[in-house]
Amino acid sequence: MTSTTATTAKAPASPRPGAGGTAALAGTGTLIRFALRRDRVRLPVWIAALLLGTLSTANSFTELYGSPEDRANAVETMSSPAGLAMTGPRHYLDDYTSGAMLGHQMLGFTAVLVGLMSVLAVIRHTRAEEETGRAELLRSAVVGRHAHLAAALSVAILANLALALLLALGLTGLGIDGVDASGSLLYGAGHAAAGLVFAAVAAVTVQVTAHARSATGMAIAVIGVAYVLRAAGDSGPNSALSWLSPIGWTQRTYVYVDDDWWPLLLCLALAVACAATGFVLSARRDVGAGLRPEKLGSPHASDALGTPLGFALRLHRGMLAGFGAGLFLMGAMYGSILGQAEDMLKDIDQIQDALERLGGSSMAESFASMVMVVVTVVAAVYVVMTALRPRAEETSGRAEPLLSTALSRGRWAGSHLAVAIGCGTLVLLLAGLGMGLAGAASTGDGGLLPELVGAALAYAPALWVTAGVAAVLFGWFPRASAAAWIVPAYAFVVGYLGQILRFPDWMNNLSPFGHVPRLPAADMEWTPLLVLTLVAAGLVWLGLAGFRRRDLETK
């Protein structure tokens, strides 16, 4: 007894998870391996898409601008304020080789996509884990308080470094004049630096709010502000605005022109500062809670909130406001350059051929019908996110208490689909309105306003089909619901890039967006829109029928 008691008293106490030091990071390695296993498909798809998109664009530049005359014409076109806002700083135009074109026209755009990949990865393995209750369960074992955040940031770092290495190797292997090994290494490092900044920004936003969607929205808003500051600084008289943006820092490396590495140090410094802030803030809140206090609601719910549709609208109102404002501004940006479209594109043979195939009485109409695909793809992203919200509600356990009442499955899931269909059409309208107003102002043709609004709304049935595909996957194959993202991704690749690269018609016909008449360049055809509407109705009915038949995932 005495010996046993003495031995027990001398045994060192186990470190308390989250107490500080190494204990706060206990289990990080295991969580990294677990996160990589969970993202074994998601991250490789992101990296492959960014890599292949960059390599194909670099190859296309050699075809589009093969001669010095073609490059000189491109310089004249891109030197306008609208061209610089869409691309990057003017210094790239001083020696506009194929490499300079890649850094000028692609680096700022792909930095946004890399930032989005990094934000989603960090939030998926931090705030989403807390929101579902898995983080609390794991922390009851020997897992430190900072382990989830450290693991999420580590996964984001690994993904960005892998992308940087593959970009460097892939671009060097193309053997294009002006695309050398040192520049390609810097090009890849610029992507990684931008991704790390926005991953660290997400590490802060997940501490502020208790909801993954709110944290994602705040981080994406930071990406949007960074892009707007970059565009305003590059196109306006106050170039200092670009130095307030990490996207502007990556473009100021002047890759393939000057190959300056030092702006990336600013990205690394900001990333370290934001990540450190995230760790500090995470110690000042409870698990599952956010630093921002929850607002007290009204003691009495409104009549609309007592209905399934009103409740669904309440859940989606933040994302609706963000996408509505974003698409209106995106449409206005494209509309602002319609007046310069003929001068910008007159010497680019492949784009001229694509525009001629579209038809149209003017270059502005033809160009508007081409870029309208990009706008509608962004609207389709909103539709997929909204249509898949029921799956998130189901996996988090919030759907079960609702469906345990008199609320039927059909009314509950149907309310989210109704929001996806109705509000998806609304954001299309806002995009067309923004493009129409700016296009009418830039061309002096007031008739473009109703034409572009109608051109945007013509894509509504294709959006409804997208929602129907998501409904079928949710209803019958819930674990494969993420496959609904294939619809907007395929529509962009085939509907936009396919016009320039001349993909065969049968590839375009596989997308619902490929059957929409390309207004305002083409004539209106009601038959394909009616067929798409019927297909969408059938898919929604089939999806709801599957949801009624299958078991509900419970917690």
Side-chain angles (χ1 to χ4, degrees), residues 519-540:
L519 303 176
D523 295 330
M524 181 62 182
E525 298 180 23
W526 291 100
T527 301
L529 300 185
L530 178 60
V531 173
L532 287 174
T533 302
L534 294 176
V535 170
L539 290 173
V540 169

Side-chain angles (χ1 to χ4, degrees), residues 28 92 97 101 128 153 164 168 171 175 186 214 287 310 335 369 394 410 438 467 517 532:
T28 300
Y92 281 98
T97 63
M101 288 182 186
L153 288 173
L171 290 171
L186 178 57
S214 299
V287 178
S369 64
E394 179 185 6
L532 287 174

Side-chain angles (χ1 to χ4, degrees), residues 131 211 389 392-403 412:
E131 194 172 1
H211 304 287
R389 180 63 185 265
E393 296 292 301
E394 179 185 6
T395 56
S396 65
R398 292 189 293 268
E400 185 179 4
L402 285 175
L403 296 177
W412 175 74

Side-chain angles (χ1 to χ4, degrees), residues 275-336:
T277 302
F279 281 110
V280 171
L281 295 179
S282 68
R284 299 187 178 184
R285 63 176 181 85
D286 294 331
V287 178
L291 292 173
R292 186 177 65 186
E294 296 287 341
K295 294 182 179 179
L296 295 177
S298 172
H300 304 287
S302 64
D303 293 338
L305 195 58
T307 64
L309 182 59
F311 184 59
L313 280 171
R314 177 67 175 268
L315 291 177
H316 294 286
R317 64 180 181 178
M319 190 164 60
L320 172 61
F323 269 89
L327 278 169
F328 181 83
L329 293 175
M330 185 178 182
M333 287 180 62
Y334 279 124
S336 65

Side-chain angles (χ1 to χ4, degrees), residues 340-473:
Q340 306 172 27
E342 186 167 359
D343 293 333
M344 291 176 60
L345 307 174
K346 64 182 180 181
D347 298 309
I348 306 177
D349 294 336
Q350 284 186 272
I351 293 183
Q352 284 286 340
D353 292 341
L355 294 176
E356 289 176 4
R357 291 195 300 272
L358 288 173
S361 58
S362 66
M363 180 65 72
E365 288 186 351
S366 301
F367 182 68
S369 64
M370 174 182 284
V371 299
M372 191 66 74
V373 176
V374 181
V375 175
T376 55
V377 166
V378 177
V381 169
Y382 166 78
V383 168
V384 172
M385 293 179 69
T386 306
L388 292 183
R389 180 63 185 265
R391 177 59 180 167
E393 296 292 301
E394 179 185 6
T395 56
S396 65
R398 292 189 293 268
E400 185 179 4
L402 285 175
L403 296 177
S404 65
T405 65
L407 178 63
S408 67
R409 290 191 179 195
R411 291 186 65 198
W412 175 74
S415 63
H416 289 278
L417 290 175
V419 172
I421 291 171
C423 295
T425 306
L426 176 60
V427 297
L428 264 185
L429 174 63
L430 292 173
L433 184 62
M435 187 181 293
L437 290 172
S442 65
T443 61
D445 181 8
L448 273 180
L449 175 57
E451 288 183 0
L452 293 178
V453 170
L457 290 177
Y459 281 92
L463 287 187
W464 303 342
V465 172
T466 304
V469 171
V472 170
L473 291 171

Side-chain angles (χ1 to χ4, degrees), residues 72-449:
N73 292 329
V75 168
E76 182 180 354
T77 298
M78 295 300 174
S79 61
S80 67
L84 294 174
M86 298 291 290
T87 53
R90 189 183 298 274
H91 181 56
Y92 281 98
L93 303 178
D94 294 342
D95 185 16
Y96 216 41
T97 63
S98 296
M101 288 182 186
L102 191 64
H104 187 227
Q105 300 185 32
M106 286 292 292
L107 185 54
F109 172 71
T110 51
V112 172
L113 298 179
V114 173
L116 183 60
M117 175 189 73
S118 303
V119 163
L120 295 177
V122 170
I123 293 177
R124 173 176 167 81
H125 297 298
T126 52
R127 175 53 65 182
E129 292 294 285
E130 294 187 42
E131 194 172 1
T132 57
R134 289 190 292 264
E136 185 176 8
L137 178 64
L138 289 174
R139 289 186 186 183
S140 64
V142 187
V143 174
R145 182 174 186 87
H146 297 320
H148 276 93
L149 182 56
L153 288 173
S154 299
V155 169
I157 291 172
L158 291 174
N160 281 283
L161 291 179
L163 175 63
L165 180 60
L166 290 173
L167 284 172
L169 294 175
L171 290 171
T172 303
L174 292 178
I176 298 174
D177 290 338
V179 180
D180 54 14
S182 60
S184 298
L185 184 61
L186 178 57
Y187 186 84
H191 285 73
L196 294 182
V197 168
F198 294 118
V201 168
V204 175
T205 63
V206 296
Q207 315 305 331
V208 176
T209 177
H211 304 287
R213 285 180 177 267
S214 299
T216 303
M218 286 189 287
I220 292 177
V222 173
I223 296 176
V225 170
Y227 186 84
V228 169
L229 287 173
R230 194 282 310 161
D234 290 341
S235 61
N238 190 4
S239 60
L241 290 174
S242 297
W243 287 101
L244 300 176
S245 166
I247 298 176
W249 299 341
T250 60
Q251 288 194 316
R252 257 92 186 143
T253 58
Y254 296 118
V255 59
Y256 300 117
V257 178
D258 296 335
D259 285 347
D260 292 331
W261 283 81
W262 69 265
L264 298 187
L265 297 177
L266 299 175
C267 292
L268 294 180
L270 180 59
V272 170
C274 289
T277 302
F279 281 110
V280 171
L281 295 179
S282 68
R284 299 187 178 184
R285 63 176 181 85
D286 294 331
V287 178
L291 292 173
R292 186 177 65 186
E294 296 287 341
K295 294 182 179 179
L296 295 177
S298 172
H300 304 287
S302 64
D303 293 338
L305 195 58
T307 64
L309 182 59
F311 184 59
L313 280 171
R314 177 67 175 268
L315 291 177
H316 294 286
R317 64 180 181 178
M319 190 164 60
L320 172 61
F323 269 89
L327 278 169
F328 181 83
L329 293 175
M330 185 178 182
M333 287 180 62
Y334 279 124
S336 65
I337 62 174
L338 291 183
Q340 306 172 27
E342 186 167 359
D343 293 333
M344 291 176 60
L345 307 174
K346 64 182 180 181
D347 298 309
I348 306 177
D349 294 336
Q350 284 186 272
I351 293 183
Q352 284 286 340
D353 292 341
L355 294 176
E356 289 176 4
R357 291 195 300 272
L358 288 173
S361 58
S362 66
M363 180 65 72
E365 288 186 351
S366 301
F367 182 68
S369 64
M370 174 182 284
V371 299
M372 191 66 74
V373 176
V374 181
V375 175
T376 55
V377 166
V378 177
V381 169
Y382 166 78
V383 168
V384 172
M385 293 179 69
T386 306
L388 292 183
R389 180 63 185 265
R391 177 59 180 167
E393 296 292 301
E394 179 185 6
T395 56
S396 65
R398 292 189 293 268
E400 185 179 4
L402 285 175
L403 296 177
S404 65
T405 65
L407 178 63
S408 67
R409 290 191 179 195
R411 291 186 65 198
W412 175 74
S415 63
H416 289 278
L417 290 175
V419 172
I421 291 171
C423 295
T425 306
L426 176 60
V427 297
L428 264 185
L429 174 63
L430 292 173
L433 184 62
M435 187 181 293
L437 290 172
S442 65
T443 61
D445 181 8
L448 273 180
L449 175 57

